[in-house]
Amino acid sequence: MDYEKFDDIDWVTPDAKEFAYYWRSLDRDRVVPRRSSFDPTRISPLLPGIAIYEVKSRDEIIYRLAGTAVVDHFGMEVTGMNFLDFWEGDRRQLAADSMFKCISTPCGMFTRLIGVSRNGRVETSVAVGFPLLDQEEVCNRLVFYSTGFNNAEYRAPGEDQIKTLRADQTVFIQLDD
């Protein structure tokens, strides 16, 4: 699978670009920064769209933190949930493979997502994510920023939660120059 260079990515929104460049500024002496170097106060306007995942296995990717925009989008608290539970059929394995690739290669990811609610309403968004090292220097964390939430029709998130996700487009991002 091909990778695009970091500087060649179309981040789509200024805030996605700001998030990507903030991540890139961390621990410049290494390809993957430590989770401890990620200081949310440095990008406080972006916090509502931040999610941090722990990749436990190809079957279990746990939300360790979900910002208010992420929670509002889903219509429920997702912290502690398995991210893969929102993906059905073959898409679940593709999502797992993509997330696992980000920590094992390592690489970043830019994706256009489609969320479908329990009542069939469709919402789109974009997400950009990068790997992080845990306190033992193991690359098993991912930090993502989601933005550009767009729904074609009104959905009351608390009453009509997102049930499934699918990726409309995914681009892997080369981390070293």
Side-chain angles (χ1 to χ4, degrees):
M1 189 166 291
D2 292 334
Y3 297 85
E4 286 195 34
K5 291 183 178 183
F6 187 96
D7 292 329
D8 293 341
I9 299 293
D10 174 5
W11 302 106
V12 178
T13 67
D15 50 335
K17 182 177 183 177
E18 179 182 354
F19 171 79
Y21 278 82
Y22 170 69
W23 178 89
R24 190 181 200 189
S25 75
L26 305 173
D27 286 345
R28 291 299 298 157
D29 58 324
R30 55 181 59 224
V31 174
V32 176
R34 298 171 190 90
R35 163 62 183 94
S36 60
S37 69
F38 183 82
D39 179 2
T41 63
R42 303 262 329 269
I43 53 169
S44 57
L46 306 181
L47 286 180
I50 300 282
I52 296 178
Y53 304 91
E54 178 182 1
V55 180
K56 296 177 93 67
S57 71
R58 287 187 183 269
D59 295 319
E60 191 175 18
I61 301 173
I62 303 300
Y63 279 99
R64 290 295 172 214
L65 174 125
T68 55
V70 175
V71 171
D72 289 348
H73 171 68
F74 278 97
M76 67 185 123
E77 178 59 64
V78 294
T79 302
M81 294 178 72
N82 187 349
F83 169 75
L84 297 175
D85 289 345
F86 292 99
W87 300 78
E88 294 180 334
D90 293 341
R91 290 185 182 124
R92 181 183 175 104
Q93 189 61 50
L94 291 172
D97 290 347
S98 293
M99 299 287 267
F100 201 83
K101 181 182 193 115
C102 287
I103 62 164
S104 63
T105 300
C107 64
M109 182 188 336
F110 179 87
T111 188
R112 293 177 189 270
L113 293 170
I114 298 170
V116 180
S117 75
R118 296 188 188 284
N119 291 332
R121 290 187 174 87
V122 175
E123 290 189 0
T124 60
S125 61
V126 295
V128 58
F130 298 99
L132 294 170
L133 302 174
D134 70 6
Q135 63 275 9
E136 277 96 40
E137 304 277 319
V138 175
C139 189
N140 66 359
R141 299 288 193 273
L142 291 165
V143 59
F144 269 80
Y145 177 70
S146 297
T147 188
F149 296 106
N150 184 13
N151 54 332
E153 52 187 291
Y154 175 75
R155 175 179 71 89
E159 299 167 14
D160 187 17
Q161 294 91 3
I162 294 295
K163 179 182 175 191
T164 62
L165 294 172
R166 68 180 185 262
D168 189 37
Q169 174 195 24
T170 300
V171 175
F172 292 101
I173 304 164
Q174 180 179 322
L175 300 181
D176 52 358
D177 296 330

